[in-house]
Amino acid sequence: ACGALRHLLHNCDANKRRLVERSGIEAVVAAMRRHPDTVALQEQGCWLIIYAAAMGSATAERVGATGAAEAVIASMRAHKSSEDLQGQGCWAIANLGGSSPGNSRRIVTSHGLETVVSAMRLHRTSLAVQAKGCRALSHVASMDDTACARIRAAGGVHDVMEAMRMHQASA
């Protein structure tokens, strides 16, 4: 069902709005929590959160209030070896965290920054994970004063520089 929703939302802002307005994100987050071991469902859930959180700050705040950030972070921790899921998780964190201070706070207190840094370390050769991880760290740091210190403490500054070295053509 999450996969079907993803295809219905792709490039259709009206469907994205309907998903949020009709408690669809709550259903997605609940499904992610009910089926934490199903990687495909977690990936589709991240995509839906990515789409919904990109609809502006008010919508992103509403999405964040459903526990979406915490669900994404839990998914990333449970499926560390899945490069696709790590990339999508970083992207979801970037969209959520860069859109509202409330979401950034949720990400920081749920150890989402450390989760992003871990994903970047585990998938150093993946340009997608590195780019989306850098975006997530940057977006959250732009909205939360404590984020920079947490990123620094987790070694994230070094990891961002390492990503730039390894992927010079895209830096």
Side-chain angles (χ1 to χ4, degrees), residues 15-115:
N15 285 346
K16 292 173 190 173
R17 278 190 296 281
R18 283 185 198 102
L19 176 74
V20 174
E21 290 166 359
R22 297 182 181 168
S23 302
I25 288 296
E26 288 89 340
V28 169
V29 170
M32 290 174 77
R33 288 185 177 141
R34 267 194 316 274
H35 304 285
D37 296 329
T38 308
V39 177
L41 182 138
Q42 300 299 318
E43 289 175 358
Q44 297 301 326
C46 285
W47 273 113
L48 293 168
I49 292 166
I50 289 165
Y51 289 153
M55 295 294 298
S57 61
T59 302
E61 181 64 34
R62 189 170 169 186
V63 171
T66 68
E70 295 86 348
V72 168
I73 293 163
S75 180
M76 291 175 71
R77 287 186 186 146
H79 303 286
K80 291 179 181 181
S81 65
S82 173
E83 181 180 321
D84 288 340
L85 183 99
Q86 296 301 310
Q88 292 158 2
C90 287
W91 192 356
I93 288 171
N95 282 6
L96 286 164
S99 60
S100 87
N103 285 343
S104 288
R105 173 86 340 242
R106 288 179 190 98
I107 291 163
V108 170
T109 59
S110 299
H111 301 281
L113 297 171
E114 294 85 353
T115 303

Side-chain angles (χ1 to χ4, degrees), residues 89-91 93-94 97 113 116 131-141 151:
C90 287
W91 192 356
I93 288 171
L113 297 171
V116 169
K132 292 169 186 169
C134 287
R135 185 178 304 135
L137 296 175
S138 171
H139 286 197
V140 175
I151 292 166

